[in-house]
Amino acid sequence: MRLRVAAGRARRRTPPTPTGRIHRMRRRITLLFTLVSALGLIGMTVFAVHADGASWRDQVDSDLQTRTSDIAAGLTPDEDGVLAYPAPKDGGYDCPPVTLFTAGGGHLSRVVPPRRPCLAVPAEALQEVAAEAAREEHGAMSTATTPEGRRLRLSAEPVTGPAGTTDAVVVAAVDTSGHLDSHRRLTLFLTIACAVLVAVSAMAGRWLAGRAVRPALTALDQQEAFFADAAHDLRTPVTSMRLLAETGLRGEADSHEVLRRTLRQSTRMSELVDDLLTRARLMAGAVPLDREPLRLDQLVDAVVADTPAHGHWVAVRAEAVVVLADAGLLRRAIANLLGNALTHGHTPGEPADVEITVTVDGTVTVDDAGPGIPPGQAKSLFERFHSGSGSSGLGLSIAAWVAHAHGGSLTVVPSARGGSRFLLSVPVRGQKRP
C-alpha cells in the first residue's frame, strides 16, 4: 500500500513536458477570457433587466399618478365648502377603476366606487393605500394581488379641503400582470442569450488562445525535429568513426587508410551538421533572403564545376536567364539536387549519367538515368530522412525549402531516360512572385 501511494506521489510530482505546459497555458488563457467575457455579459444582462423593470414600473406609476391627480383636481367644493362628488354615470371611473373616499371625522368611507370596474380590486388594498395617503397627506403607492393571482398597482392622491385638511382620497388601480409577463420573457431571453454568448466567447477564447500559443508549439516542434534530425543523421558517421578508431587501436588496418576514412567520415559529419543548421534556420524563418538579380545558367555552371564528378558524367544545356534570388541558398539547392543524382541516380557499379537543363522560364531540370523513384516514395521524397533510394538525407528537403522560400517549387517526375527528373523553378526577374 505504501509503495502504491509513493508511486502515485511520484507521478503527481513529475514535471509537465514543454508541450504540456503550453497546453496548460492555453487552457488558462481560455478560462481567463471566458471569465472576463462572462462577467461583462452577466453585468450587462443584470443592468438591462433592472433598467427594463424600472422603466415599466416608472411608466405605470406616472400614468396612475396622472389619473388620480386629474380626478382630484376636478373635485371642487360647493357653496357650503363641501366637496362635490360627481356620480360616475359615463363610466369614467371604470377602467382603470377609480374609487373616492371621504376622510371626515378621521374615518375613511368609500362614497363613489366605479360603476363597472374592469378590475376587481381587493377592498383591503384600497383601504390601506387610501389611509396611508390621508395620514401622510401626499400621494401613496402600493402593490396588491387579486384572488386570481394577478398583480395590481395602486395609487392614492389626497384632496385637501378649504380648511387645509384632507377631505377625500382618490384611489386608482391598474393590472400589471401583462408588464410582468413581458419582463419575465425578456429576462429569460437575456439569460439564454447570455449563456449562449458565454459559450461562444469560450470557444472564441480557445481559438484565440490556440492562435496565441501556436508559434510556441511550432518552435517546440522545430526544436524536436532538429534534435531528431541530429540524432538520426549523426548516428551513422559517429558509429563509423568509433569503429575506425577501435580498428586503428587494435592495429588491424593500415594507419594511413584508417586516417583517410576517418577524414572522409568527419567531412561527411561536417556537411551533415551544416545541413542540419541550414534546415533548422529555414524552418524557423531565421534565414533572410538576400534577393539579387543573377544569371541562373552561370550559377548552374559554377555548381557543376565545383562538384567532384568521381568518374560520373554531367552534361549541362543552359539558356541565358536572369532570376531574382539568394545566390547562396539557390546554389545550395542546385548542389543538393546534383549530389542526389550523382549518389542515387545510377546503377551500382556504373557511372552516373546526369543531364542538367536551364530554360528561360527559370527552371532547372536535373535528369538522371538511375533506377528511378518507387511510386510509394514520391510524396514523401522531400521530407526529412528520405531520398531517392529510401535512405536518410536532408539535401532534397533543404532544396524544397529554398524553392518555396523564393516563391517557386520543386517537383519530381519519371525521366524519359529511365531515372528521375527533378524540376526546380524560381521566378525570373520582373515576374511577380505568387
Side-chain angles (χ1 to χ4, degrees):
M1 184 64 181
R2 293 181 179 179
L3 291 177
R4 291 183 180 178
V5 173
R9 290 177 179 175
R11 286 194 296 268
R12 288 194 295 270
R13 292 174 183 174
T14 301
T17 62
T19 303
R21 287 197 294 268
I22 293 176
H23 286 295
R24 185 172 61 183
M25 181 177 66
R26 179 186 182 183
R27 290 192 293 270
R28 290 179 177 178
I29 293 175
T30 303
L31 179 60
L32 179 61
F33 184 87
T34 304
L35 287 177
V36 172
S37 301
L39 289 176
L41 290 171
I42 292 173
M44 289 189 294
T45 301
V46 172
F47 175 78
V49 170
H50 176 75
D52 178 74
S55 176
W56 73 260
R57 287 187 179 90
D58 291 343
Q59 185 63 43
V60 168
D61 289 351
S62 176
D63 293 343
L64 280 175
Q65 289 172 354
T66 301
R67 174 75 167 159
T68 55
S69 297
D70 291 344
I71 294 177
L75 299 178
T76 56
D78 55 14
E79 297 178 354
D80 298 329
V82 179
L83 288 175
Y85 300 102
K89 297 179 181 180
D90 55 356
Y93 295 169
D94 292 345
C95 198
V98 176
T99 304
L100 300 181
F101 289 86
T102 61
H107 179 70
L108 289 174
S109 301
R110 186 169 63 172
V111 294
V112 182
R115 187 173 183 182
R116 294 176 180 175
C118 58
L119 289 175
V121 184
E124 297 82 0
L126 290 171
Q127 193 75 21
E128 289 178 2
V129 69
E132 180 181 355
R135 183 174 61 254
E136 301 295 337
E137 296 185 354
H138 61 73
M141 307 293 298
S142 69
T143 302
T145 304
T146 65
E148 295 81 13
R150 305 184 68 84
R151 298 285 290 178
L152 306 178
R153 187 69 171 166
L154 291 83
S155 174
E157 183 73 21
V159 180
T160 303
T165 59
T166 299
D167 291 347
V169 177
V170 180
V171 180
V174 68
D175 187 358
T176 61
S177 298
H179 294 284
L180 283 172
D181 291 340
S182 298
H183 181 67
R184 292 191 185 101
R185 286 193 296 269
L186 177 63
T187 302
L188 179 62
F189 171 77
L190 291 178
T191 302
I192 295 175
C194 180
V196 171
L197 289 176
V198 169
V200 171
S201 68
M203 292 185 290
R206 179 175 175 80
W207 180 78
L208 291 174
R211 293 278 300 229
V213 303
R214 187 175 301 169
L217 289 173
T218 301
L220 186 61
D221 291 340
Q222 292 172 355
Q223 182 184 20
E224 293 177 352
F226 176 79
F227 290 153
D229 289 345
H232 187 279
D233 280 305
L234 294 179
R235 179 176 54 190
T236 300
V238 168
T239 302
S240 299
M241 292 180 67
R242 185 183 64 185
L243 292 176
L244 287 172
E246 292 175 352
T247 301
L249 288 175
R250 290 194 299 265
E252 298 176 358
D254 183 66
S255 60
H256 293 285
E257 178 63 19
V258 171
L259 290 176
R260 185 180 62 81
R261 294 174 62 183
T262 302
L263 178 61
R264 186 170 58 195
Q265 292 295 333
S266 64
T267 302
R268 182 188 175 192
M269 185 183 298
S270 177
E271 293 174 352
L272 285 174
V273 170
D274 194 19
D275 286 345
L276 286 169
L277 292 177
T278 300
R279 182 184 181 278
R281 295 178 66 192
L282 284 173
M283 291 184 63
V287 180
L289 296 183
D290 186 13
R291 300 178 187 270
E292 58 180 356
L294 57 90
R295 287 279 298 271
L296 182 59
D297 54 314
Q298 294 178 357
L299 181 65
V300 170
D301 288 335
V303 171
V304 173
D306 294 340
T307 302
H310 298 299
H312 301 297
W313 297 92
V314 179
V316 178
R317 293 189 297 107
E319 299 177 353
V321 57
V322 178
V323 297
L324 191 64
D326 187 303
L329 289 177
L330 190 56
R331 180 187 184 95
R332 188 183 193 93
I334 297 172
N336 288 347
L337 293 178
L338 177 57
N340 180 77
L342 294 176
T343 303
H344 306 290
H346 63 92
T347 304
E350 298 291 334
D353 186 5
V354 180
E355 183 178 310
I356 301 179
T357 306
V358 181
T359 55
V360 293
D361 60 352
T363 300
V364 178
T365 303
V366 181
D367 232 338
D368 64 62
I373 301 171
Q377 294 185 4
K379 294 183 179 180
S380 61
L381 190 64
F382 301 121
E383 299 177 2
R384 57 191 178 102
F385 305 149
H386 289 84
S387 67
S389 63
S391 61
S392 64
L394 294 171
L396 295 181
S397 174
I398 292 175
W401 274 95
V402 171
H404 295 155
H406 284 84
S409 62
L410 177 61
T411 57
V412 59
V413 295
S415 172
R417 305 170 63 196
S420 304
R421 174 177 292 176
F422 291 86
L423 297 97
L424 172 65
S425 300
V426 293
V428 300
R429 186 180 183 183
Q431 178 181 353
K432 293 184 178 180
R433 298 190 300 272

